[in-house]
Short mmCIF file of all heavy atoms in Angstrom, two decimals:
data_model
loop_
_atom_site.label_atom_id
_atom_site.label_comp_id
_atom_site.label_asym_id
_atom_site.label_seq_id
_atom_site.Cartn_x
_atom_site.Cartn_y
_atom_site.Cartn_z
N PHE B 19 -27.06 27.98 -23.11
CA PHE B 19 -27.91 29.15 -23.33
C PHE B 19 -29.28 29.01 -22.68
O PHE B 19 -29.80 29.95 -22.12
CB PHE B 19 -28.09 29.42 -24.83
CG PHE B 19 -26.85 29.92 -25.51
CD1 PHE B 19 -26.30 29.23 -26.58
CD2 PHE B 19 -26.22 31.09 -25.10
CE1 PHE B 19 -25.15 29.69 -27.21
CE2 PHE B 19 -25.08 31.57 -25.72
CZ PHE B 19 -24.54 30.86 -26.78
N GLN B 20 -29.85 27.80 -22.74
CA GLN B 20 -31.21 27.63 -22.22
C GLN B 20 -31.26 27.78 -20.69
O GLN B 20 -32.33 27.90 -20.12
CB GLN B 20 -31.82 26.30 -22.66
CG GLN B 20 -31.08 25.07 -22.23
CD GLN B 20 -30.03 24.61 -23.23
OE1 GLN B 20 -29.52 25.39 -24.02
NE2 GLN B 20 -29.71 23.33 -23.19
N ASN B 21 -30.10 27.83 -20.02
CA ASN B 21 -30.05 28.07 -18.58
C ASN B 21 -29.91 29.55 -18.24
O ASN B 21 -29.85 29.91 -17.07
CB ASN B 21 -28.87 27.33 -17.94
CG ASN B 21 -29.02 25.82 -18.01
OD1 ASN B 21 -30.09 25.32 -18.31
ND2 ASN B 21 -27.96 25.11 -17.75
N MET B 22 -29.84 30.41 -19.26
CA MET B 22 -29.59 31.83 -19.05
C MET B 22 -30.87 32.65 -19.10
O MET B 22 -31.83 32.26 -19.76
CB MET B 22 -28.60 32.35 -20.10
CG MET B 22 -27.26 31.67 -20.03
SD MET B 22 -26.15 32.23 -21.33
CE MET B 22 -25.71 33.85 -20.68
N ARG B 23 -30.86 33.79 -18.41
CA ARG B 23 -31.99 34.71 -18.39
C ARG B 23 -31.47 36.11 -18.72
O ARG B 23 -30.30 36.41 -18.50
CB ARG B 23 -32.63 34.76 -17.00
CG ARG B 23 -32.99 33.39 -16.42
CD ARG B 23 -34.15 32.73 -17.12
NE ARG B 23 -34.42 31.40 -16.61
CZ ARG B 23 -34.04 30.27 -17.19
NH1 ARG B 23 -33.34 30.29 -18.31
NH2 ARG B 23 -34.37 29.11 -16.68
N VAL B 24 -32.37 36.96 -19.21
CA VAL B 24 -32.05 38.37 -19.45
C VAL B 24 -32.75 39.18 -18.37
O VAL B 24 -33.94 38.97 -18.10
CB VAL B 24 -32.52 38.82 -20.86
CG1 VAL B 24 -32.17 40.29 -21.09
CG2 VAL B 24 -31.92 37.94 -21.95
N PHE B 25 -32.01 40.10 -17.75
CA PHE B 25 -32.54 40.92 -16.67
C PHE B 25 -32.48 42.40 -17.04
O PHE B 25 -31.59 42.82 -17.78
CB PHE B 25 -31.71 40.71 -15.39
CG PHE B 25 -31.77 39.30 -14.88
CD1 PHE B 25 -30.80 38.37 -15.24
CD2 PHE B 25 -32.79 38.89 -14.04
CE1 PHE B 25 -30.84 37.06 -14.78
CE2 PHE B 25 -32.85 37.58 -13.56
CZ PHE B 25 -31.87 36.67 -13.93
N ALA B 26 -33.40 43.17 -16.49
CA ALA B 26 -33.44 44.63 -16.68
C ALA B 26 -33.20 45.28 -15.33
O ALA B 26 -33.66 44.79 -14.30
CB ALA B 26 -34.78 45.06 -17.24
N THR B 27 -32.50 46.42 -15.36
CA THR B 27 -32.24 47.20 -14.15
C THR B 27 -32.08 48.66 -14.55
O THR B 27 -31.91 48.97 -15.73
CB THR B 27 -30.99 46.66 -13.41
OG1 THR B 27 -30.80 47.39 -12.19
CG2 THR B 27 -29.74 46.75 -14.27
N SER B 28 -32.13 49.56 -13.58
CA SER B 28 -31.98 50.99 -13.89
C SER B 28 -30.58 51.49 -13.57
O SER B 28 -30.31 52.68 -13.65
CB SER B 28 -33.02 51.81 -13.13
OG SER B 28 -32.84 51.62 -11.74
N SER B 29 -29.69 50.59 -13.19
CA SER B 29 -28.33 50.96 -12.80
C SER B 29 -27.31 50.15 -13.59
O SER B 29 -27.56 48.98 -13.89
CB SER B 29 -28.15 50.69 -11.29
OG SER B 29 -26.79 50.69 -10.95
N PRO B 30 -26.15 50.73 -13.89
CA PRO B 30 -25.13 49.94 -14.58
C PRO B 30 -24.52 48.87 -13.69
O PRO B 30 -23.89 47.93 -14.19
CB PRO B 30 -24.07 50.98 -14.99
CG PRO B 30 -24.29 52.14 -14.08
CD PRO B 30 -25.75 52.13 -13.72
N ASN B 31 -24.73 48.98 -12.39
CA ASN B 31 -24.21 47.97 -11.47
C ASN B 31 -25.15 46.77 -11.43
O ASN B 31 -26.35 46.92 -11.27
CB ASN B 31 -24.06 48.54 -10.06
CG ASN B 31 -23.11 49.71 -10.02
OD1 ASN B 31 -22.12 49.73 -10.74
ND2 ASN B 31 -23.41 50.69 -9.19
N ILE B 32 -24.58 45.58 -11.57
CA ILE B 32 -25.39 44.36 -11.54
C ILE B 32 -25.64 43.98 -10.09
O ILE B 32 -24.73 43.57 -9.38
CB ILE B 32 -24.69 43.23 -12.32
CG1 ILE B 32 -24.60 43.58 -13.80
CG2 ILE B 32 -25.40 41.91 -12.10
CD1 ILE B 32 -23.80 42.62 -14.65
N LYS B 33 -26.89 44.16 -9.66
CA LYS B 33 -27.29 43.78 -8.31
C LYS B 33 -28.60 43.00 -8.43
O LYS B 33 -29.61 43.55 -8.85
CB LYS B 33 -27.53 45.02 -7.45
CG LYS B 33 -26.27 45.83 -7.19
CD LYS B 33 -26.60 46.99 -6.25
CE LYS B 33 -25.40 47.90 -6.10
NZ LYS B 33 -25.71 49.30 -6.31
N GLY B 34 -28.55 41.73 -8.09
CA GLY B 34 -29.69 40.86 -8.28
C GLY B 34 -30.99 41.35 -7.67
O GLY B 34 -32.04 41.20 -8.26
N GLY B 35 -30.93 41.98 -6.50
CA GLY B 35 -32.14 42.39 -5.81
C GLY B 35 -32.90 43.51 -6.51
O GLY B 35 -34.08 43.68 -6.30
N GLN B 36 -32.22 44.29 -7.35
CA GLN B 36 -32.88 45.42 -8.00
C GLN B 36 -33.18 45.14 -9.47
O GLN B 36 -33.49 46.05 -10.21
CB GLN B 36 -31.98 46.65 -7.89
CG GLN B 36 -31.72 47.05 -6.46
CD GLN B 36 -30.73 48.20 -6.36
OE1 GLN B 36 -30.08 48.56 -7.32
NE2 GLN B 36 -30.62 48.78 -5.18
N SER B 37 -33.09 43.88 -9.86
CA SER B 37 -33.27 43.53 -11.27
C SER B 37 -34.57 42.79 -11.47
O SER B 37 -35.11 42.18 -10.55
CB SER B 37 -32.11 42.64 -11.73
OG SER B 37 -30.88 43.31 -11.53
N ARG B 38 -35.05 42.84 -12.72
CA ARG B 38 -36.28 42.14 -13.07
C ARG B 38 -36.00 41.27 -14.29
O ARG B 38 -35.44 41.74 -15.28
CB ARG B 38 -37.36 43.17 -13.39
CG ARG B 38 -38.71 42.55 -13.60
CD ARG B 38 -39.83 43.54 -13.48
NE ARG B 38 -39.61 44.75 -14.27
CZ ARG B 38 -40.46 45.75 -14.36
NH1 ARG B 38 -41.58 45.71 -13.69
NH2 ARG B 38 -40.22 46.79 -15.11
N LYS B 39 -36.38 39.98 -14.21
CA LYS B 39 -36.20 39.09 -15.36
C LYS B 39 -37.17 39.50 -16.46
O LYS B 39 -38.36 39.68 -16.21
CB LYS B 39 -36.47 37.64 -14.95
CG LYS B 39 -36.23 36.65 -16.08
CD LYS B 39 -36.63 35.24 -15.68
CE LYS B 39 -37.67 34.81 -16.69
NZ LYS B 39 -38.30 33.57 -16.48
#
Side-chain angles (χ1 to χ4, degrees):
F19 290 122
Q20 60 269 25
N21 293 348
M22 299 177 75
R23 308 290 176 259
V24 181
F25 297 93
T27 183
S28 60
S29 164
N31 299 325
I32 294 174
K33 294 184 186 130
Q36 298 175 348
S37 302
R38 188 162 49 178
K39 183 185 122 185

